[in-house]
Amino acid sequence: MQVQKASYFARKDDPVPVPAHKEALARCIDRLNESRVLAGARNPKIGKERNRWSYCQGYDWVMGFYSGQLWLAYQMTGNPALREAAQLRRPQFRAVLEDRKSRDHDIGFLFSLHSVADWQMTGDETARAMGLEAARALLGRFREEGGYIQAWTPVGPQDRDQARFANGRMIADTMQNLALLHWAYRETGITDFREVAMIHADTTRRHLVREDATSFHTFLFDPSTGEPLRGETHQGYSDDSCWARGQSWLIHGFANCYAVTGELEFLDCARAVADKAIELMGETSVPVWDFALPADGSHPVDSSAGAVMSAGMYLLADVTEGEESEKWRVHAHRLLDGLLESCDLTRVPGAEGLLAHGAAFVPAGRDDAMLPYGDYYFMEALMRSLGHRQFFW
Ligand code: GLY
């Protein structure tokens, strides 16, 4: 049985814990202990009204983030009720593995935070097997021509527009899903998992990241030849804008790829997109939802982008040294403190989530909301600030 124990403040050069971050993390855990009772087996999807959650109905790309929070809180406390709440969700994840039409590239988010976390925290063999099955499904989305993992699944000939939109497309968000492949390689030694993750990351670096280190949200290839066609947006302001959460996925994703492979080209890419994000943030401490727009209060911010970016910069601080490491830490701190100052719901009685002011999909009207991924990365960033190093990526 492989049970990985939490290792707090394990290194000589670990940071001095910030009391405000310790206190905030304790409030997050208290909030989870309240919300898990309300939620039962349901997974939070979005909270727009009165800081109350609406829940996922069946498969949803966000369905693993609540499990991820429960596992982090379990790791911090050892409270068995948190472990049981995460494991209660297992049948829903099993159902995803049994329905090829519902799942897509986000299977990495789902299973890293649900099954891989379970395996790491409890040594449960069923959880490991589910994680490996999910990794094989993700591997099957690799398109040899073009060298990328296809993001979305066309729903069928009855919806030609969706098929046209889905086929041949890679997206920035997939960088986070690669962690499941790297984990599967470490577990099994099967090199396909690692190779596909490396090729996809390299294609992302060459096509989704622009020369000036801003990023496209998606990139389209001719699905039959793999010929690179053009960058386009899905959730951003415009095709040539820089969607803040997409940039944040790239920072965290490339930093993690470097952490698990040691390939310097991934570190350099993480550095470049992170430096660009710092430049685009200017004086702000919570990113505007798309960097093409002025950050003057006239456009929604995206706390989830801030949380992902902060966690990613702490990770960069961990994999670099000296002054450079300090630079990333300072910016990660600034982002985290921005969230604590203007988005923290853990001090708001009756709120069910952790962070306000997330922007799920602004062009579709889904802004100013609680988002389970914002909450997950908020906890991850707080824990990284405190020197914690066991995550499920
Ligand atoms: N992965 C979808 C999003 O970031 O909204």
Side-chain angles (χ1 to χ4, degrees):
M1 189 162 103
Q2 178 190 340
V3 180
Q4 295 182 12
K5 294 246 158 55
S7 56
Y8 309 113
F9 315 117
R11 291 194 327 196
K12 250 198 354 252
D13 56 349
D14 267 339
V16 178
V18 178
H21 295 180
K22 257 186 137 164
E23 287 158 21
L25 184 58
R27 291 196 304 275
C28 291
I29 294 170
D30 288 347
R31 174 59 47 82
L32 278 170
N33 273 317
E34 293 160 10
S35 66
R36 72 177 163 77
V37 178
L38 282 171
R42 297 175 299 173
N43 297 306
K45 178 178 173 66
I46 189 166
K48 270 194 78 75
E49 303 299 328
R50 297 175 296 119
N51 301 321
R52 302 272 198 277
W53 287 120
S54 306
Y55 294 93
C56 301
Q57 310 283 330
Y59 170 81
D60 195 301
W61 82 273
V62 307
M63 65 189 277
F65 292 105
Y66 195 68
S67 294
Q69 292 166 64
L70 292 167
W71 284 121
L72 289 182
Y74 173 64
Q75 197 177 135
M76 298 297 296
T77 62
N79 175 358
L82 292 159
R83 184 193 69 227
E84 284 157 18
Q87 289 179 331
L88 183 66
R89 291 162 162 75
R90 187 178 287 178
Q92 301 168 50
F93 287 79
R94 161 68 45 211
V96 171
L97 291 174
E98 288 165 4
D99 179 9
R100 74 182 161 76
K101 284 201 181 138
S102 74
R103 61 172 185 252
D104 58 21
H105 72 127
D106 285 324
I107 200 162
F109 278 119
L110 267 68
F111 284 83
S112 289
L113 296 182
H114 181 76
S115 305
V116 174
D118 190 341
W119 161 243
Q120 289 188 357
M121 298 308 304
T122 71
D124 184 297
E125 292 283 349
T126 304
R128 177 178 182 271
M130 286 173 69
L132 290 175
E133 199 175 331
R136 278 190 286 274
L138 185 57
L139 195 64
R141 302 186 70 80
F142 183 61
R143 300 292 166 256
E144 208 72 56
E145 338 53 40
Y148 59 91
I149 291 170
Q150 180 173 320
W152 296 310
T153 302
V155 288
Q158 74 278 14
D159 187 351
R160 292 223 173 88
D161 280 346
Q162 172 68 10
R164 252 201 310 275
F165 192 71
N167 280 328
R169 197 173 295 271
M170 74 183 307
I171 74 173
D173 325 28
T174 311
M175 285 302 297
Q176 290 298 106
N177 289 307
L178 301 184
L180 183 67
L181 296 179
H182 285 297
W183 168 79
Y185 167 68
R186 292 195 298 278
E187 286 294 313
T188 63
I190 297 172
T191 50
D192 269 5
F193 290 120
R194 183 172 197 268
E195 247 175 62
V196 160
M198 304 276 274
I199 296 170
H200 178 93
D202 192 53
T203 309
T204 303
R205 185 181 66 79
R206 288 183 293 112
H207 293 295
L208 273 174
V209 180
R210 304 185 184 106
E211 265 185 27
D212 67 357
T214 63
S215 53
F216 293 114
H217 179 199
T218 84
F219 198 92
L220 187 63
F221 296 81
D222 180 318
S224 51
T225 64
E227 186 197 344
L229 299 176
R230 61 185 171 277
E232 290 181 347
T233 199
H234 175 52
Q235 276 152 277
Y237 176 71
S238 66
D239 288 344
D240 57 2
S241 72
C242 183
W243 178 50
R245 194 160 61 253
Q247 191 82 3
S248 309
W249 292 138
L250 294 174
I251 296 167
H252 196 297
F254 276 108
N256 201 51
C257 273
Y258 172 67
V260 296
T261 67
E263 287 292 327
L264 271 176
E265 68 177 20
F266 299 145
L267 176 60
D268 286 342
C269 190
R271 284 171 165 147
V273 288
D275 269 330
K276 181 50 81 171
I278 290 168
E279 179 193 321
L280 293 168
M281 293 272 308
E283 296 300 305
T284 60
S285 55
V286 182
V288 65
W289 74 277
D290 189 298
F291 290 122
L293 300 166
D296 57 5
S298 60
H299 296 280
V301 294
D302 182 8
S303 57
S304 74
V308 176
M309 203 183 282
S310 175
M313 289 197 190
Y314 280 120
L315 177 52
L316 263 177
D318 251 4
V319 296
T320 53
E321 291 179 349
E323 275 180 26
E324 183 187 0
S325 172
E326 189 52 28
K327 169 182 121 175
W328 301 124
R329 210 175 155 73
V330 165
H331 286 287
H333 248 59
R334 180 162 72 99
L335 286 155
L336 197 41
D337 290 343
L339 297 176
L340 288 167
E341 273 157 34
S342 56
C343 307
D344 180 9
L345 288 175
T346 63
R347 293 179 185 279
V348 177
E352 292 175 3
L354 310 180
L355 278 187
H357 310 313
F361 194 164
V362 179
R366 297 202 293 275
D367 65 344
D368 201 10
M370 301 191 302
L371 299 171
Y373 37 103
D375 287 5
Y376 168 82
Y377 283 93
F378 180 48
M379 281 188 75
E380 184 180 311
L382 286 167
M383 289 172 68
R384 287 189 186 279
S385 158
L386 296 168
H388 189 96
R389 284 191 186 80
Q390 188 188 346
F391 298 94
F392 315 120
W393 305 119

